[in-house]
Amino acid sequence: MELRDIEIFLTLAEELHFGRTAARLHVSQARISQSIKQQERRIGGALFERSSRTVRLTPVGEQLRGDLLPIYHGLKQSVQRARDAARGVTDVLRIGMIPSNTHDLRPFWDTFRKRHPQWGLRVRHNQFMDPFGPLRRGQIDLLVSWLPVEERDLTVGPMIFCEPRVLAVASDHVLAGSDTVSWEVLGDFGSLGAVEPAPDYWEDAFTPFYTPSGRPVERQRTIATLDDLYTLISMGEGVNSLGRHVIRYHPRPDVVYLPYHDAPLLRWGLVWRSEPDSPLIRGFLEVVRDLGTPELS
């Protein structure tokens, strides 16, 4: 199996959508289909169950993903380490971001690079599905996550920024013309939920299960990606709370962002594996403590 075919298989196994996989890998959907069919012929069995609405891994596909994932990441890391060594970089700090506002945090990135030119810095998007998996698998060193995080094997460091929350609704939603909304509206309209449930305390910190008055907040539909979230919201099939940075980073003509007037600030902090001390992590934590925690409006 060629390395590109492995990448196609693993990306489709993560996205479970041919269109998103093609867009992510910058190839055509036909190329994705062709690669998967070739792999299935070589293996002698189906890797995915396909219907007009869903794509799912078969048991054979699940097994192949589990076997290939560590090998693929190991190969990518080996190649990247060779590139870094050729540039004189001795090590690289890998940071995963659940939020989208990497530009707002440029002072942290730039200061770290200036203080530690011998180290590289790589910042990548981290899915909210399986949020702590990349940390535990060693694919990233630090995660920017909303707080609190109460995982026994993970350490929580300083808050890196905080921000107000907004409610995302369709542009023709009954609430769309409101100047502000209350936290209580979630009891009326519910929220979207994740396909794979996150820890209850962590999900509750982002979107509560109950309003301040005690009304339940029902999860109306489930989502696997940010694209799913925006599609359902824009079609009027759900509403969802988000951090205010989405107004700047995800403007859309079919979605309106309404500020809450009574919701608590959303806090984002740094999380890492509770393992022996890392000088790279320690160096970045010093940068965050020196620059302070901004509140983004």
Side-chain angles (χ1 to χ4, degrees), residues 54-129:
T54 63
V55 177
R56 294 182 180 181
L57 281 165
T58 64
V60 174
E62 291 277 8
Q63 177 180 320
L64 184 61
R65 179 180 63 173
D67 291 341
L68 286 180
L69 201 58
I71 298 171
Y72 175 70
H73 286 302
L75 286 171
K76 286 186 67 177
Q77 290 171 9
S78 296
V79 172
Q80 189 59 54
R81 283 196 296 270
R83 289 172 178 163
D84 293 336
R87 294 187 293 113
V89 174
T90 60
D91 210 342
V92 177
L93 180 65
R94 300 162 301 167
I95 299 180
M97 291 272 297
I98 293 178
S100 307
N101 57 335
T102 53
H103 181 74
D104 292 332
L105 305 184
R106 277 294 297 270
F108 297 112
W109 320 141
D110 293 345
T111 302
F112 179 82
R113 287 183 171 119
K114 183 176 180 180
R115 288 187 184 180
H116 305 287
Q118 78 280 18
W119 294 334
L121 176 66
R122 195 168 301 125
V123 181
R124 296 291 185 268
H125 178 63
N126 193 97
Q127 296 284 351
F128 60 85
M129 300 292 293

Side-chain angles (χ1 to χ4, degrees), residues 163-169 175-186 240-247 255-265 296-297:
E163 62 179 337
R165 306 176 195 234
V166 295
L167 181 68
V169 304
L175 293 175
S178 305
D179 293 329
T180 65
V181 291
S182 169
W183 212 216
E184 281 291 329
V185 299
L186 294 178
N240 208 80
S241 295
L242 296 164
R244 187 179 172 85
H245 72 270
V246 297
I247 296 176
V255 173
V256 174
Y257 298 112
L258 307 172
Y260 285 104
H261 57 73
D262 58 357
L265 290 176
L296 306 181
S297 59

Side-chain angles (χ1 to χ4, degrees), residues 189-206:
F189 297 99
S191 183
L192 300 175
V195 172
E196 297 178 12
D200 283 350
Y201 75 87
W202 194 69
E203 183 178 350
D204 184 71
F206 196 86

